[in-house]
Amino acid sequence: LLGSDSREGSGTSSRADESGDSQRSDVMILARVDASNREVTLVSIPRDTRYTLEDGSVVKINEAYNLGGAAASIKAVSTGRGTPIHWRMTGTAIKHYAEVHFSEFQELVDKVGGITVDVPVEISYKDALTGEAVSLQPGVQTLNGQQAQIFARARHEYGDNQEAKRQSNIRQILTAIVEKVLQKPAMELPGAILDLAQSVGTDMNTPDIVSLALSFSGDPGGMTLYSCTGPSNGDFDEAQNGLWLCYENPEGWATLMAAVDAGE
């Protein structure tokens, strides 16, 4: 699942090595869906994960999207091709993908009538599309599309583990969207899916998406959902011009993926 920071006339960073065409995937989530057991697992791929390109240069893994779109991101997360050969990151085959951009994300949240989340701290951020300042107070509340965009992007308000906390918020948003959709009566679900699909880029065909949704519908509380992030500890790497990168952690990824693959 990819969330792109793509939007017209906006850069992602003041640093030359972190900026460019505003096409980075600051949201990368590996999702395991087990419809027969009504189980879903969401694993955030830290955007600062170290990724070595074919030419030997080192970038953050979210740069893969900028270089080759969803296909390059899938290759980076699944096979780890281009990374040092002694480990392969998730080492799992990815069968499908879905992606949204800023405006589509806001549209998606508004289409479901807003989402209920727990905002942990006061947040004040500028809307990425309009530049308007938006503030959120802590507590359980329903967010519209613009507010959800702010909640998904904010990280500077957190004193430590900023990116890991942002990714946790994003998984909370995704969970809230899924639960809101699954609350719809089964007769209304196909129409709702068709409407929402217009805001999402994916290789899945609509009948398969509807079938998958129907297998989880009826009782959102009966769905088991596991949520976590991949290894995210890191530091500034002087050898890479001071770029902040996650440490290589093949053992951590192997332990995590063994649990994911086993449905644990």
Side-chain angles (χ1 to χ4, degrees), residues 15-16 32 34 43-44 48 53 76 88-89 107 124 137-138 141 146 163 165 174 185 187 196 210 251:
R15 288 176 50 132
R32 177 184 184 270
D34 182 350
V43 179
S44 290
D48 299 313
L53 302 177
R88 284 193 160 193
M89 203 169 171
E107 187 178 67
S124 182
Q137 297 302 313
Q141 57 199 282
Q146 183 190 51
E163 183 60 16
K165 290 176 180 176
L174 178 57
M187 292 294 291
L196 295 174
V210 171
E251 295 82 7

Side-chain angles (χ1 to χ4, degrees), residues 42-85:
L42 304 176
V43 179
S44 290
I45 309 297
R47 67 173 186 174
D48 299 313
T49 299
R50 178 188 299 264
Y51 185 58
T52 305
L53 302 177
E54 300 289 354
D55 63 2
S57 59
V58 174
V59 297
K60 298 184 180 191
I61 198 167
N62 65 345
E63 172 69 11
Y65 187 88
N66 193 39
L67 297 173
S73 297
I74 290 169
K75 184 177 75 170
V77 172
S78 60
T79 66
R81 183 181 176 190
T83 59
I85 59 174

Side-chain angles (χ1 to χ4, degrees), residues 178-220:
V178 169
E179 290 177 345
K180 190 72 176 285
V181 172
L182 293 182
Q183 287 172 5
K184 293 184 178 295
M187 292 294 291
E188 296 180 14
L189 197 56
I193 294 296
L194 286 171
D195 186 31
L196 295 174
Q198 297 176 27
S199 302
V200 180
T202 180
D203 66 319
M204 292 184 71
N205 61 51
T206 303
D208 286 345
I209 298 173
V210 171
S211 176
L212 191 61
L214 286 171
S215 68
F216 282 93
S217 69
D219 179 19

